[in-house]
Amino acid sequence: MKQNQSLWWRKGLFLSATFLLSIILATSCKKKETSLGQNTIDQNNILSSAGIDTFQLRTFTIAVDSVISDNPAFALLGSYNDPVFGTVNAEFYTQFRLEGLNPDFGDLNTIAIDSFVLGLEYSGFYGESGDQTFEVYEITDPNGLHLDSTYYSFSTLAVGANNLMAAGKEVVYMDENDITVIGADTVDPQLRLHLDTNKARTFLEDAMINNPTAFTSNEEFADYFKGFLVRTNNGPQASGDGGVFYFNLNDALSKATIYYTQAGVQQSFDFLINSNSADFNHIDIDNFGTKVETVINDTISGMTEFYSQSFASRAVIQIPGLSNIPKNAIVHSAVLELPIQYQTAAKYAPAFDASIATRESSVSDNLLGINVLAGYVSSFKRYEVDLRAYVQAIITGEIDNTEIIVSPLLFITSMDRIIFNGPNTDNKAKPKIRVLYTEF
């Protein structure tokens, strides 16, 4: 199954939190003909202009090890074995809030717990649908979760030893198009994880008898119950198996619900997830033994193909020849073309758009946004980047000619990855930059 197309509407909404300066978003249209660089030069001056498309490019990949992942747009969950990039595993930690303060459940002896369900609304996926094995653990870390704390994709919190998934309900078929019915209502597709009803009983007993003060405010409740770690434990997966799914935790349907019957009447109580709930994604990506591992920081092997992967790596293009453009040049257009390897309808689709940055200077590792995006042109299977302002800034000395750095636009909210053709690829389409300028 191919990547969920419902993700396309999100283009341009989120940028990597690791960029020190934000990128001003520009919308890219998908069409067979590109208009990049058109209408930037008077046609009467074309004869006095110079065009270059023979720049030598150096390409490779750099690893990223400190990605901020707290309070993301989507919680990521699941695992898969990427045939090129290696294994990927995504899990998340989240807090909950009370549906109402000081809940009164009446006589607990008259209550029968029917089920305890964690519902998560689907927002997309990467990979394929299928069975995955789930685990849910209660967070026991004394520090808990906090909205004003910073969490990274490698961050963890201490959790209890007991898997709170209901016995026999651990394996669930993940499918964002699955019809979800709750009671008599058909709702937007959800992942429904059935939890141990003993934990639900504990909540009711603590609210009524053992620890009622914990239910007097959301602050007290967060100290009493610090939340859940939700993850999968699928063991070794064959190459190409599995997927990571995206969930909107801020949707009203994403919540944990105790369903119970009292005196013959069916009732429920919700533990909510909303914008006041701290959460973060924990991502494990293992490129060991893959071509990606070989290409990272290697300007030789990266000349054949190079890569970028959310949470893990960025693609690098160095163009030394830009420094040789005359200092009196006015750049009319500069278009970078980056062909990729992707078969239409394959499960690992490329990112719809990619973010573009450069190093702040030749002696800095800080990334600087350059106010453009790389738009994916599906008919040519390549990204195109308008670098006119960037090249002009190099000519005038405003910035150093370091490198162009390319990342999936949704770097911290998706599992997008891209395989770029290098200059030495055996494929027909090779990366290149075309620059048109006039000397004055």
Side-chain angles (χ1 to χ4, degrees):
M1 183 177 293
K2 65 182 179 179
Q3 179 189 13
N4 171 32
Q5 299 302 307
S6 70
L7 293 178
W8 285 165
W9 68 269
R10 296 182 290 125
K11 72 167 184 169
L13 294 181
F14 311 105
L15 295 174
S16 169
T18 59
F19 284 8
L20 299 183
L21 296 177
S22 63
I23 302 172
I24 299 175
L25 303 184
T27 303
S28 299
C29 297
K30 304 299 167 282
K31 49 187 174 258
K32 188 170 182 179
E33 299 294 336
T34 177
S35 62
L36 287 178
Q38 289 184 4
N39 301 322
T40 58
I41 180 172
D42 187 332
Q43 297 299 304
N44 294 324
N45 293 330
I46 288 181
L47 292 179
S48 63
S49 300
I52 304 176
D53 63 2
T54 57
F55 291 98
Q56 296 297 310
L57 275 59
R58 300 171 186 162
T59 58
F60 55 98
T61 296
I62 55 175
V64 179
D65 58 8
S66 296
V67 179
I68 295 175
S69 66
D70 51 77
N71 303 306
F74 301 102
L76 307 184
L77 180 62
S79 68
Y80 66 96
N81 188 344
D82 190 304
V84 176
F85 288 76
T87 58
V88 178
N89 184 78
E91 56 195 41
F92 68 90
Y93 297 78
T94 186
Q95 282 180 320
F96 293 84
R97 291 290 184 263
L98 293 167
E99 170 192 302
L101 303 180
N102 300 306
D104 185 356
F105 298 107
D107 184 358
L108 297 182
N109 293 322
T110 65
I111 289 180
I113 306 295
D114 301 318
S115 61
F116 185 22
V117 180
L118 175 60
L120 302 168
E121 181 169 343
Y122 286 108
S123 291
F125 72 102
Y126 203 77
E128 62 182 6
S129 300
D131 285 339
Q132 298 205 35
T133 302
F134 290 88
E135 297 178 345
V136 176
Y137 295 92
E138 183 174 352
I139 298 171
T140 59
D141 196 297
N143 294 321
L145 278 163
H146 300 279
L147 279 173
D148 58 356
S149 295
T150 299
Y151 300 97
Y152 295 88
S153 58
F154 56 76
S155 297
T156 60
L157 296 175
V159 298
N162 296 326
N163 179 11
L164 295 177
M165 288 292 296
K169 300 281 190 177
E170 299 90 349
V171 178
V172 182
Y173 189 88
M174 301 185 81
D175 182 359
E176 73 144 14
N177 295 311
D178 195 21
I179 296 175
T180 302
V181 178
I182 301 176
D185 299 324
T186 300
V187 300
D188 291 338
Q190 290 184 20
L191 174 66
R192 305 280 289 173
L193 300 180
H194 287 258
L195 306 180
D196 187 349
T197 56
N198 289 320
K199 181 60 182 176
R201 173 67 67 173
T202 298
F203 278 130
L204 300 189
E205 292 175 348
D206 286 350
M208 296 300 297
I209 302 170
N210 302 324
N211 194 4
T213 58
F215 293 76
T216 59
S217 71
N218 279 311
E219 291 72 25
E220 290 286 344
F221 184 71
D223 187 57
Y224 154 77
F225 173 58
K226 295 177 173 58
F228 284 144
L229 160 64
V230 185
R231 71 184 189 189
T232 57
N233 187 0
N234 296 308
Q237 293 171 297
S239 179
D241 282 357
V244 168
F245 288 70
Y246 311 156
F247 298 94
N248 182 3
L249 296 189
N250 288 327
D251 188 274
L253 293 178
S254 292
K255 58 188 178 181
T257 303
I258 299 175
Y259 297 94
Y260 63 96
T261 301
Q262 187 171 43
V265 179
Q266 291 185 331
Q267 302 188 58
S268 64
F269 186 83
D270 294 332
F271 300 99
L272 310 175
I273 311 172
N274 55 36
S275 58
N276 293 317
S277 304
D279 55 83
F280 71 91
N281 288 316
H282 175 93
I283 310 295
D284 290 313
I285 297 175
D286 188 357
N287 300 138
F288 179 76
T290 67
K291 292 187 290 184
V292 177
E293 181 190 36
T294 302
V295 168
I296 288 176
N297 296 324
D298 186 339
T299 56
I300 303 302
S301 58
M303 293 289 283
T304 301
E305 63 183 43
F306 59 113
Y307 314 94
S308 186
Q309 182 181 23
S310 293
F311 290 96
S313 59
R314 305 187 193 275
V316 179
I317 304 98
Q318 294 178 337
I319 317 171
L322 294 179
S323 299
N324 298 327
I325 296 176
K327 297 302 180 184
N328 63 342
I330 298 295
V331 178
H332 302 289
S333 69
V335 180
L336 176 64
E337 297 177 359
L338 298 172
I340 68 165
Q341 296 180 31
Y342 171 64
Q343 297 297 320
T344 301
K347 69 177 70 174
Y348 304 119
F352 190 64
D353 279 338
S355 60
I356 302 296
T358 188
R359 276 193 296 130
E360 197 169 36
S361 71
S362 58
V363 294
S364 172
D365 290 328
N366 293 335
L367 298 185
L368 174 69
I370 61 172
N371 302 341
V372 297
L373 294 177
Y376 181 59
V377 184
S378 59
S379 56
F380 292 123
K381 289 186 171 59
R382 73 187 182 207
Y383 289 89
E384 294 184 356
V385 193
D386 183 352
L387 292 180
R388 185 184 66 83
Y390 170 76
V391 174
Q392 190 68 67
I394 290 175
I395 293 171
T396 59
E398 296 174 60
I399 60 174
D400 292 343
N401 181 15
T402 55
E403 61 231 353
I404 292 294
I405 299 173
V406 185
S407 314
L409 182 61
L410 305 178
F411 194 75
I412 64 168
T413 54
S414 76
M415 292 314 309
D416 289 344
R417 53 36 147 220
I418 311 169
I419 303 173
F420 294 98
N421 290 344
N424 297 339
T425 180
D426 291 331
N427 297 314
K428 182 178 179 180
K430 304 178 188 298
K432 66 179 180 180
I433 183 170
R434 296 177 284 107
V435 180
L436 179 65
Y437 65 86
T438 299
E439 295 183 59
F440 64 90

